[in-house]
Amino acid sequence: MKSKRQAKILEIIASRDVQTQEQLLSELQAAGFQTTQATISRDIKELRIVKEVTGLGVTRYTVSGGEPTTGFNERLHTIFRECILGYDYAQNIIVIRTMPGLASAAGSAIDALNRSGVVGTLAGDDTLLVVMRDTSAAAALCGEIRALLD
């Protein structure tokens, strides 16, 4: 839930001029996220979001140009986004193609998602096999992969 909320925060500040945490909280609640101002404050810090002055003289939130300090799971997601070349599923099995040597990192990122539909992952050098409980779980995870890569 945290990664989805943080992704939504980044989407919101990229698409609108958000000036306050209260405005951001309102936007998140309108998108279906039940959270608090304190949680948003922590997310802003973790995501290295800062206020900038626009050409019109008003402030708005934006992502800092500096190197973000992310946790282990966020780093895995970054690696995941960078190493995936392609993916597809057949019934309950997902095959993910990666750059050479990075299938294990992609598998760790999938494992870190802690999805109940994932039975297990098996990584080679440039191919990751993800065994899902059923076809609908495989389709759902492919949707999440698509969202992570976009």
Side-chain angles (χ1 to χ4, degrees):
M1 188 64 170
K2 177 181 176 180
S3 62
K4 288 182 182 181
R5 182 185 64 245
Q6 288 184 345
K8 189 64 173 178
I9 288 171
L10 293 173
E11 177 186 319
I12 290 169
I13 67 170
S15 63
R16 315 173 194 37
D17 286 344
V18 178
Q19 299 174 351
T20 65
Q21 289 184 10
E22 292 78 17
Q23 186 182 359
L24 185 56
L25 176 62
S26 176
E27 294 280 348
L28 283 170
Q29 288 174 339
F33 291 88
Q34 298 305 316
T35 189
T36 65
Q37 185 273 330
T39 300
I40 290 174
S41 183
R42 285 189 295 273
D43 288 340
I44 286 171
K45 185 176 180 179
E46 283 182 26
L47 294 169
R48 297 188 53 109
I49 295 173
V50 296
K51 281 194 172 185
E52 72 173 1
V53 179
T54 68
L56 301 173
V58 296
T59 60
R60 71 179 199 98
Y61 284 115
T62 187
V63 178
S64 169
E67 186 72 22
T69 55
T70 58
F72 183 70
N73 286 346
E74 287 81 13
R75 287 183 181 155
L76 281 175
H77 290 138
T78 299
I79 291 169
F80 186 81
R81 284 189 296 272
E82 297 296 323
C83 75
I84 299 300
L85 299 176
Y87 61 94
D88 202 357
Y89 74 99
Q91 295 189 2
N92 69 318
I93 296 173
I94 301 172
V95 176
I96 299 173
R97 291 178 291 109
T98 70
M99 295 189 329
L102 293 176
S104 291
S108 291
I110 294 287
D111 291 339
L113 291 174
N114 293 319
R115 296 293 180 260
S116 60
V118 177
V119 175
T121 58
L122 179 64
D125 182 53
D126 61 357
T127 305
L128 172 66
L129 181 71
V130 183
V131 179
M132 304 298 293
R133 294 213 181 278
D134 53 38
T135 303
S136 63
L141 185 58
C142 281
E144 282 190 61
I145 292 169
R146 184 178 312 108
L148 277 171
L149 296 179
D150 287 341

